[in-house]
Amino acid sequence: MADDYQMPKGELMKGKRGVVTGVANHQSIAWGIAAQLAAQGAEMAFLHLPGMERRVEALAQQAGVKLLAPADVTDDASMDAAFAAVEKAFGTIDFFVHAIAFANKDELKGSFVDNTTRDGFLRALNISAFSFVDCARRASALMPNGGSILTLTYMGSERAIPNYNTMGVAKAALEAAVRYAARDLGPKGIRVNALSPGAMRTLSLAGISGGRGMLSKGRSLSAMKQDTAMEGVAGAALWLLSDLGLSTTGEVIHVDAGFHIMGFTEDEGGEA
Ligand code: NAD
């Protein structure tokens, strides 16, 4: 996949400043979103997992990023330092993108009941769901004029998808957290939403046993018989992060070529 998406240019994010987390490489969903935000005039900071600097630097440059700082969501000191750096660089922000998830590989295969450990479960929930609550608290403190917070989920929260297991439970918690955060932050003019893309070829997907199957099933079982396009995810993010999304909060928006609406397909017995 190219790292030079031709995202529609414009001024929808002109004058807006914000933070994008979760850029690991050119395949990251966060990168697609950042490329679209940059093409619409946003000023951004990237917060990345410590140790990823060298991978992320070139992309940050490409998007004209003002601040590149490490932030491990499991480490309060690292989060304190990262948000202090954002405040120093920008003062206030208008948007925040949370694109972070992790579960041990061993938990992402086979039987959910047999393979889920206490440590693995808590780690997945900590990094993939609690981190969102923590980020929403920290980001909203920098949004005195309102703003928009966005996270990324997957349909494995709603239905049992092979191998997704613990991550599905974490995503269910994440989606509930979106609704509670939207309720709390709504009166402050801060909107909180999630995008639920179909399977996409990223580092995270590679960590899931049978990730390729998720891609091919995502395509063949979708209404459109297509892969989920980065441009489609980035476009939906632009809608929610810009003023176009003015009255939308607490939502989980599927961007999956219609994967989630399907019952069963013709070749599974749908013909008359
Ligand atoms: P990715 O691997 O590019 O991004 C995941 C990011 O999480 C990485 O940048 C990684 O550094 C970061 N991360 C992990 N542990 C961290 C920690 N302790 N502190 C800070 N950052 C940490 O993969 P992606 O697919 O772009 O994932 C982004 C989001 O999109 C995730 O929430 C993922 O679940 C979600 N999503 C992915 C798909 C898909 O098929 N790829 C589909 C739907 C939703």
Side-chain angles (χ1 to χ4, degrees), residues 22 24 28-29 49 71-73 99-101 152-153 171 197 199-200 202-204:
S28 294
I29 295 175
L49 187 66
D72 179 345
V73 295
I100 293 170
L152 277 304
T153 184
K171 292 300 193 192
M200 297 175 76
T202 67
L203 270 183
S204 286

Side-chain angles (χ1 to χ4, degrees), residues 113-267:
V113 171
D114 292 336
N115 294 348
T116 303
T117 63
R118 188 189 307 274
D119 281 353
F121 185 90
L122 294 177
R123 189 163 159 74
L125 269 285
N126 186 17
I127 298 178
S128 315
F130 175 74
S131 71
F132 169 73
V133 184
D134 191 43
C135 285
R137 182 177 58 77
R138 293 172 183 276
S140 61
L142 300 179
M143 294 177 170
N145 306 315
S148 177
I149 298 174
L150 186 68
T151 187
L152 277 304
T153 184
Y154 177 64
M155 203 193 65
S157 60
E158 304 163 56
R159 310 210 190 148
I161 301 277
N163 304 311
Y164 203 64
N165 300 1
T166 304
M167 189 56 81
V169 179
K171 292 300 193 192
L174 176 69
E175 291 174 21
V178 164
R179 290 183 283 273
Y180 281 98
R183 179 202 62 187
D184 284 1
L185 299 176
K188 297 176 180 164
I190 300 172
R191 298 181 292 102
V192 186
N193 293 286
L195 293 179
S196 184
M200 297 175 76
R201 196 180 297 278
T202 67
L203 270 183
S204 286
L205 190 82
I208 303 170
S209 177
R212 267 202 220 144
M214 283 173 70
L215 277 173
S216 61
K217 285 287 178 198
R219 180 172 54 247
S220 64
L221 299 180
S222 71
M224 297 178 76
K225 309 289 175 221
Q226 283 177 11
D227 289 323
T228 295
M230 188 67 93
E231 289 81 352
V233 177
L238 175 63
W239 160 50
L240 290 168
L241 294 170
S242 71
D243 293 340
L244 291 178
L246 208 55
S247 297
T248 301
T249 196
E251 292 289 350
V252 176
I253 308 288
H254 294 87
V255 186
D256 60 2
F259 178 56
H260 74 288
I261 64 163
M262 298 298 280
F264 56 89
T265 56
E266 283 77 2
D267 58 2

Side-chain angles (χ1 to χ4, degrees), residues 102-114:
F102 180 83
N104 296 337
K105 256 188 156 177
D106 289 349
E107 315 260 332
L108 295 172
K109 62 180 178 196
S111 164
F112 169 63
V113 171
D114 292 336

Side-chain angles (χ1 to χ4, degrees), residues 12-28:
L12 285 170
M13 298 301 290
K14 196 174 170 195
K16 291 195 188 293
R17 288 174 298 208
V19 177
V20 176
T21 65
V23 176
N25 62 21
H26 66 279
Q27 291 179 312
S28 294

